[in-house]
Amino acid sequence: MEFVIEDLAVARGGVCVLEGVRLALSPGQAVILRGANGIGKTTLLRTLAGLQPALRGTITAPPESIAYGAHADGLKSVLTVEENLAFWAAIHGTSGIEPALVRMNLADLRDRRAANLSAGQKRRLGLARLLVSGRPYWLLDEPTVSLDTASVALFADVLRDHLAAGGAALIATHIDLGLPEARVLDLSPFKARGGVIASRGFDEAFL
Amino acid sequence: MEFVIEDLAVARGGVCVLEGVRLALSPGQAVILRGANGIGKTTLLRTLAGLQPALRGTITAPPESIAYGAHADGLKSVLTVEENLAFWAAIHGTSGIEPALVRMNLADLRDRRAANLSAGQKRRLGLARLLVSGRPYWLLDEPTVSLDTASVALFADVLRDHLAAGGAALIATHIDLGLPEARVLDLSPFKARGGVIASRGFDEAFL
Amino acid sequence: MIALLIRDLRLALRAGGGFGLGLAFFLLVAVLVPLGVGPEGTTLAKIAPGVLWVGALLACLLSLDRIFALDFEDGTLDLLATAPIPLEGVVAIKAFAHWLVTGLPLVLAAPVLGVLLHLPQAGYGWLVLSLLLGTPGLSAIGAFGAALTVGLKRGGLLLSLLVLPLYVPTLIFGAEVVKRGAAGMAVEVPLLLLAGITLGAQAALPFASALALRINLR
Amino acid sequence: MIALLIRDLRLALRAGGGFGLGLAFFLLVAVLVPLGVGPEGTTLAKIAPGVLWVGALLACLLSLDRIFALDFEDGTLDLLATAPIPLEGVVAIKAFAHWLVTGLPLVLAAPVLGVLLHLPQAGYGWLVLSLLLGTPGLSAIGAFGAALTVGLKRGGLLLSLLVLPLYVPTLIFGAEVVKRGAAGMAVEVPLLLLAGITLGAQAALPFASALALRINLR
Amino acid sequence: MSIWEYANPKKFIETAGRILPVLLPLAMGFLLIGLVWGFFFTPEDYKQGATVKIMFLHVPAAMMAINAWGMMLVASLIWIIRRHHVSALAARAAAPVGLTFTLIALVTGALWGQPMWGTWWEWDPRLTSFLILLLFYLGYIALWQAVENPDTAADLTGLLCVVGSVFALLSRYAVKFWNQGLHQDSTILKVGEKDPLDPAYYWPLIFCLIGIVLLFLALVLIGTVTEIRLRRLAVIEARERQEA
Amino acid sequence: MPELGKYAFAVLASYGAGLALLGAVVALVVWRFRRAKAALIAAEARLAARAAQGHHGQANGGRA
Ligand code: HEM
Ligand SMILES: Nc1ncnc2c1ncn2[C@@H]1O[C@H](COP(=O)(O)OP(=O)(O)OP(=O)(O)O)[C@@H](O)[C@H]1O
Ligand SMILES: Nc1ncnc2c1ncn2[C@@H]1O[C@H](COP(=O)(O)OP(=O)(O)OP(=O)(O)O)[C@@H](O)[C@H]1O
Ligand SMILES: [Mg+2]
Ligand SMILES: [Mg+2]
């Protein structure tokens, strides 16, 4: 099952930011999204995750196959690491959070409340959620923010295993993840050139 | 008038994070604070700005001479650029926001509401506040976050003028500001080695 | 779904979750009204049903913004929207959790406050029953209001303004049940209408709320 | 200082600032209580002073969290604390701005709502006067509560709980003035006490609030 | 040509520009004739005395207050189902006008009630429903103003309007259950039945009614044009921001 | 002026308040209309100026 984007245009705040984006992602592949601040990486990923409607174009993906990792980690500060992770496992109907805890080096912190984690530990917990989601396509928005180099390498390992197991990933990031096998998609050519207005079709009458 | 820190210890969340910090800042000087994430740069700057008490040590500075530039810019999104800046000028009893607007390249945006600024433009407005504060000692916490290279250069120019006019600056930053004349202060040697508990004196009884 | 319910209850029970605050507010209103109105028992007895219902309604109201706002701010709502459970279910569960945390304690505490307000003897049973039937509706309607205002900063006052008019039918029938019950009159009609509103709200509003959430997440 | 006042008023007037919402909430309470209590004019007239005062108090209460929370969240409060004006002055000005935006409209709208609740003719003047004297106190006390809870997420309900008990004396004297006034009795004593509370709160509480703010900023 | 052609903003502005110069004077004319006729040239009622003259403001305002909400409901449904932006904007433009009519009905009703019923306000079901309608208008307008993104605001207020209408109906029923009233029933549509409206009042009232309906339409048209322009303004500003 | 008798206050106040409210809403609608129109004209002018200079009549500049 492939994940295919065709001629996609996405909008934010009523303005089209990217247009004509096309991409095919097969199992085992990773694609890195590049582009300056504000070009629309987050917007693109949110659209692909189904959180906002596309302006034009089509997104084809197997149903319920996408795990979205946003800027925010969605952690509850009064719950412990284990409770946080177990909640997401239950929501996704998977079981066994143990491997995810171990893989993301969180086993020692299992009973710590999320409020007492450092920023990097919080981030690791947010990434562990991807593992318990059990979904093949990962859409990640700057997953390594506030991680130190050791943790970045740990994450790259996890990612490589995920790809080897038939998963795929689309990652927006500014830094080098140490994944030479990943394709790079530069978004600059898709930048919308003014004048194209958002709300589907009809709104063009406002110009 | 000098700005002198002697044997300072600062705490955050009940734990001493830095101790034995000493530094003297004379007019015309700039000092760059360096240190890994979480070492306590923000904590140190907040203490120096008078927002939290020091654990030990002394801070000597002329009264009302410090302008603090935090992570957050303190902008009101429903006010225009001009209104935001004029408010801070009025609070500091200075007049003439015009030069600050021009220096930070905000003149064209003067009637734009802060909500409609991009992140970089917001940051420039936050820095323009320093200019209208009319104070000599600037304590800046990562002032160039989300600025592009041109704006960083612009800010370095502004900073250089401020130093030439007898001001001084203490800047926590991870990137290179293009200020070769600035001294660098690495905080790693001052990292508190466990066991030292925060709240002055009293808390030690619990050890 | 059960996991979501358990998590919401757990969050409410841990520090900062606000469990019990609604109850305290209910108590405060029941205390403030006699202070403002004056201590005569007969007047108080007459207004007790209405005041208790208005108090329950306000106590419910003040905790509404917690239903979605915290999850929205920390990004959980985004993740729940992409999770394999329907957003309608999420809304219904969260409204139910809100009722367990806010509405149910009010139901249990109401008889005690009835004493403070000199509620006539015959009214207590009806008070509890009407609140039991009515408060789940309040939570469902409130969840709709909370979904409408979820993206707004400090939208508490706006939320009140939107939700309170929607509470009017529930309030009228609820207070009417208690009033009639206390006076020994027949209560079937308002009781049935109250139950009808709650059932209708529980059945239909989660869809509207989920739609509002989707719009706000966009 | 004037600049701060002007800015706060401007913020309240621009979209999203919440000007007028307090008024709408006041209206809501005045409508809900009769819906709960029943339509008879004589009962309503008896409880009108108390209900109007409780309504004013709740309307005031619900807008309290805007006094400092927004400024705290966007970092303005940090900057104000290091600015060359005393934090006590900041607090006093902000409480005053809150009164102008919330309390004053309530004072002006109260007579209209008095009509809804069948307030006796003789009571209108005293209602306006007592609110005029009392609401500045409510703002000052509320600012203290807001300063205490400024760092908390969605602390609205906790804020209510902290502040409502502090409002009790104001409520009692305020409602007493209106009740006595409406009944044609002497009102000097409660009126003086009301004015005393407001003056005392205005004079002393800004210091406590500023201290609370400093602690929360740390 | 389908009626939805007029849902094109440009076309809408053009059409409005052609209609308004006729509509506005017509509305003012009807209203003026009706009010002058009603105020100066109607006899006193044998029961109500001169206060019947209040009717010429009260009744049209009261009817339009409800109809304005109905129009907003229809416009909201069109927006939700067919996504015609102009429709959402028309609903937005109608709200302040409807609010004003509600206020007029309430104020004139209160002033009428004092001499007739001996009280400014009575918790009569019809009066109470109007107060609740006022609250719905206030909430609707407040939500429009609070949400920044215009499309989000249109969606949310549309939803509120639909859900609110259901609850408004429920409230009307609940209020009737709660209290029996003093307010007289509608007679205006009972021509030919027993106890009809005195013909001396009939025609000025009809003029006022027509005048108010036309005024409402004119104000909504102007308001919708304003909203369309503001929408376009927002689009241009967003684009400038993007290019900056 | 018609003879209003003891009801003069009620009738006059009704007409006064009703007409004042009508006037207020008309004034509000017209004021917003004028303001939106002026702001839009200014924005269109800016857009045209920008299209003329620098942007080489790019994309939709001309449609403004
Ligand atoms: C503030 C309160 C009042 C409100 C909200 C109100 C509301 C309404 C409404 C909605 C209508 C139109 C109903 C219809 O035609 O079906 C109406 C009509 C009318 N109202 Fe009122 N009313 C109020 C007070 C009064 C008072 C105090 C009087 C006089 C004693 C009065 C006399 C009438 C009359 C004569 C009609 C015309 C009925 C007809 O012939 O169709 N109203 N009012
Ligand atoms: N609420 C909003 N209203 C209007 N414009 C917005 C809004 N949010 C974002 N934008 C604009 O949309 C564009 C795309 O934003 P987006 O967050 O997708 O960028 P990004 O590529 O993820 O940037 P970054 O690298 O900083 O994360 C930006 O130019 C931004 O200014
Ligand atoms: N509220 C808190 N409670 C407990 N510990 C805290 C709290 N806030 C911060 N800390 C800890 O205090 C230390 C110092 O934090 P500080 O924000 O000063 O670091 P920093 O050097 O500014 O980091 P950065 O480079 O990320 O800005 C960190 O180790 C952090 O974990
Ligand atoms: Mg991004
Ligand atoms: Mg820092």
Side-chain angles (χ1 to χ4, degrees), chain B residues 36-43 45 68 71 141-142 172 174:
Chain B
N37 275 331
I39 196 162
K41 299 182 293 299
T42 301
T43 312
L45 290 177
Y68 173 52
H71 283 302
D141 203 349
E142 314 209 17
H174 295 290

Side-chain angles (χ1 to χ4, degrees), chain A residues 36-43 45 68 71 141-142 172 174:
Chain A
N37 274 331
I39 197 164
K41 298 181 295 297
T42 301
T43 312
L45 290 176
Y68 173 53
H71 281 302
D141 203 350
E142 313 208 17
H174 295 291

Side-chain angles (χ1 to χ4, degrees), chain A residues 115-119 121 146, chain B residues 10-18 34-46 52 71 141-142 172-174 187 191, chain D residues 218:
Chain A
N116 295 339
L117 296 178
S118 85
Q121 292 160 342
S146 75
Chain B
V10 298
R12 176 111 207 136
V15 182
C16 178
V17 293
L18 291 172
R34 294 246 187 250
N37 275 331
I39 196 162
K41 299 182 293 299
T42 301
T43 312
L44 177 62
L45 290 177
R46 286 180 65 87
Q52 58 177 78
H71 283 302
D141 203 349
E142 314 209 17
T173 182
H174 295 290
L187 288 178
K191 193 165 173 190
Chain D
R218 240 176 9 218

